[in-house]
Structure formats: structure tokens, C-alpha cells
Amino acid sequence: MSNSFVLRADERGYNKILSTGATASYVGGHPDAFITRFSSFNFGEYQDGRPGFGRIRVFGDEGFHHAGCSYSMHPHHNFIICAFVLEGKLTHINTLGGLEDLGPGDYYAFCAGSGGLHEELNRYAEPMRAVYLWLLPDHLLLPPSYTRGHFDAAAGLNRITTLVGSDAGAVPISQDARVSRLLSDEPGVFRYRPRSTGHGVYAFVIDGTLRCDGTLLKRRDSKGVWGAEEIVCETGRGDTDVLFVETIM
Amino acid sequence: MTDDALKSWICLGCGFSYDEATGLPQHGLPPGTRWRDVPQDWVCPDCGTPKSRFEMVEIPYAEGQPAAPLAA
């Protein structure tokens, strides 16, 4: 018997974090820059929602506004932090030696493990939009690591492509979880099969419309399903872009 | 694990992990200090997240962890 929850776009937590005042050391780019964050799960100032899903603890739909907008260099341990760039250019800097420019389709998995610092920066006037995903790891204080990948939109058209996880070609992480993306430009039926009925799937519509497990989801809507052998997803005419995060429950 | 076993708590703001077994001696919490005995106004030393936003986790350590603390 499967279970589910639906989270509409406007039901998510929303925070606008300024680069001035109380958050000036958190967000860089004084004085104009600010970060907008829609949180699917409790995070920071937003604590009125769901605490997480499976091993997911953070799912943030974020915008970095104005040149210099950044999360200033700060420390992490343990969490597996993934970023999927949707628009604009993200400069990611980490103390493992990474200094990277990522554009739409690019993504990374940063396993903070026994410790590392990172900075997330938009150097440009155009907004940078990205999804940030945090997963609990399967071991504490792992050796930190950083791996980047790229979603080839042309190759990924009308199929579900695994971006993060143990599948060949995906960025590996130390957790029983995987992230996939579906880009569709025509009506289609896609059957997502979790590894087991003990795995749940969080489907987030980046753009377009998706009928997911019977529910019509629109742009930035999402649905979590668990206990199911198969999750039937239908796309219509027009462009649809969906992120699926599968996690052991 | 029994209810009496020493547990770990992870900061939901940054991932910093507090282990009851090792405590945080440099912050005045000797090894063995139970989470319930950590002051209520204590915050994450790495990011300032309040104690209430930590989650108890039963996740095994990576090999070789926790490492022996460096000599002062």
C-alpha cells in the first residue's frame, strides 16, 4: 500500500535573505544582493513544514540575485550537498581544492564528511537559479569529496536519466539514494521503479506539467511517494522538466 | 542499540555532529556528556544553529573515525 504527500509550489517555505544587516556575514554581495529560497522541507528560518523525506533534509529552490551574490565561505560536515544549476552561472569554491564555474545542466555532489568549507557565488548580474539538495550520508565523518557532472539535455530527452547514485555514468554518493532528471517535449508515460518498496521518491517539477501517480503537478509543485513498486508519470505536450530524488525510507 | 547507548546528534544547519561519547572538551562538554545535559541555549559551534535543530542519528562512523583528538 503506497503513501504520498503533495506539496504545491506556494506551500513551500519562502525566505529572502539580504546581504546587509543581520545576515551580512551569511550572504555576500552587499548592498544589492539577496538570495531567495523556496524550501520544500524545514531549513533555517523556515520550520513550519515537513522535516525531511527519507534521507533528504534540504531541498531548496534558490535564486542568487545581483552580481556578487553568494553564500560566504562556511563549514560543513557529513551532509552530501548536491547543487543542480538551472539558470545563470554558479561559481562554486571548496576547500578540497575545487574552483568551478557551473552552468545550466551542470551539477555537483559535495560530501562534507569529516569537514570542508564551501562558497556559492553568482558573479554576474543575471540571476543564478539552482536546486540545492542535502542528503544524510550512510557513514559519519567520511573522507570529504567533490565530484561534478553534466546533464546532457539532448541525450536526456524523453527518458529518465540518473545523475547521482550508483548507476553507471552517475556521480556516486555514499547513501542509498539517487537523483534523476526527466526532460520531455512530447506526451509520454514514464514508469519510475524504485529499487524496492522500501524506497521513496520525491518528484519535483522544475517546469511544465506532470501527472505523477495520479496527481497533476505544475511548475515547482512536488510529490513524495513511498511504498510503491512503480510510480506512473505522464507528460503532456510542451516542455516538462522533472527532478526525481529516490531515497531509502 | 539500547536506550542507554551513547548517541550522536547532527546539526541540521551544517552537518556538524555531536557525539555523546566524545563530547566537546574544548567547549566545556566532557566526553560522555549526554545531549539532555548540553545547555538548552547551546548552539552549533560551526554555524550557530540552536540545539533544538539537531537530529539524533544512528549512523555508523566511516573507517578510522572518530579519529583520536590531536594532542593540545
Side-chain angles (χ1 to χ4, degrees):
Chain A
M1 191 64 197
S2 72
N3 297 291
S4 66
F5 72 87
V6 174
L7 183 68
R8 296 291 174 189
D10 60 2
E11 293 171 340
R12 299 174 293 166
Y14 174 74
N15 294 104
K16 177 178 178 180
I17 313 157
L18 305 180
S19 59
T20 53
T23 49
S25 63
Y26 180 45
V27 171
H30 165 115
D32 296 324
F34 60 92
I35 292 177
T36 51
R37 177 200 290 154
F38 288 92
S39 299
S40 296
F41 307 105
N42 292 343
F43 184 64
E45 294 306 304
Y46 172 63
Q47 295 293 322
D48 295 330
R50 306 181 74 94
F53 181 72
R55 297 299 179 265
I56 304 172
R57 287 297 171 273
V58 174
F59 191 100
D61 170 10
E62 309 205 14
F64 287 40
H65 304 268
H66 294 288
C69 184
S70 59
Y71 282 117
S72 306
M73 203 72 162
H74 59 275
H76 283 289
H77 291 81
N78 293 308
F79 273 111
I80 298 166
I81 295 168
C82 301
F84 302 88
V85 179
L86 303 178
E87 281 176 47
K89 280 219 166 329
L90 168 67
T91 302
H92 165 88
I93 308 167
N94 65 54
T95 48
L96 308 183
L99 172 54
E100 306 266 290
D101 277 343
L102 300 109
D106 290 332
Y107 62 95
Y108 70 73
F110 171 53
C111 169
S114 55
L117 293 94
H118 77 133
E119 173 173 339
E120 305 293 292
L121 166 65
N122 175 16
R123 290 188 282 145
Y124 303 98
E126 295 72 35
M128 189 287 294
R129 298 187 198 279
V131 166
Y132 283 92
L133 168 71
W134 293 18
L135 297 164
L136 287 168
D138 57 11
H139 289 83
L140 294 179
L141 304 185
L142 287 158
S145 68
Y146 170 85
T147 312
R148 95 180 253 175
H150 179 72
F151 171 65
D152 183 342
L157 200 54
N158 298 312
R159 55 188 296 261
I160 297 177
T161 305
T162 306
L163 305 180
V164 178
S166 53
D167 292 33
V171 166
I173 55 169
S174 197
Q175 184 50 273
D176 185 358
R178 55 209 52 82
V179 185
S180 308
R181 193 161 177 183
L182 166 64
L183 212 54
S184 167
D185 67 352
E186 62 186 28
V189 177
F190 302 87
R191 297 175 187 279
Y192 189 109
R193 297 192 69 92
R195 288 278 155 112
S196 75
T197 51
H199 289 78
V201 179
Y202 178 66
F204 180 83
V205 177
I206 294 169
D207 223 336
T209 308
L210 182 80
R211 186 172 293 280
C212 176
D213 183 46
T215 306
L216 190 66
L217 303 176
K218 298 191 174 160
R219 187 175 190 270
R220 289 349 206 222
D221 288 345
S222 57
K223 184 169 185 178
V225 183
W226 66 105
E229 287 186 0
E230 182 177 83
I231 298 158
V232 178
C233 295
E234 299 167 60
T235 57
R237 284 190 293 243
D239 297 331
T240 308
D241 188 356
V242 187
L243 217 55
F244 295 97
V245 185
E246 179 184 333
T247 162
I248 189 77
M249 294 303 289
Chain B
M1 277 191 184
T2 67
D3 284 334
D4 260 357
L6 298 171
K7 303 260 169 60
S8 281
W9 295 79
I10 192 168
C11 174
L12 294 172
C14 74
F16 177 84
S17 44
Y18 175 80
D19 185 338
E20 290 179 324
T22 47
L24 275 179
Q26 66 272 43
H27 292 280
L29 302 173
T33 303
R34 294 286 190 165
W35 187 245
R36 61 174 178 264
D37 295 324
V38 173
Q40 291 311 307
D41 62 354
W42 182 85
V43 300
C44 174
D46 269 14
C47 75
T49 288
K51 186 187 175 193
S52 58
R53 294 193 218 142
F54 275 65
E55 177 180 335
M56 193 273 286
V57 292
E58 290 177 295
I59 301 175
Y61 275 104
E63 204 182 306
Q65 296 286 1
L70 296 171

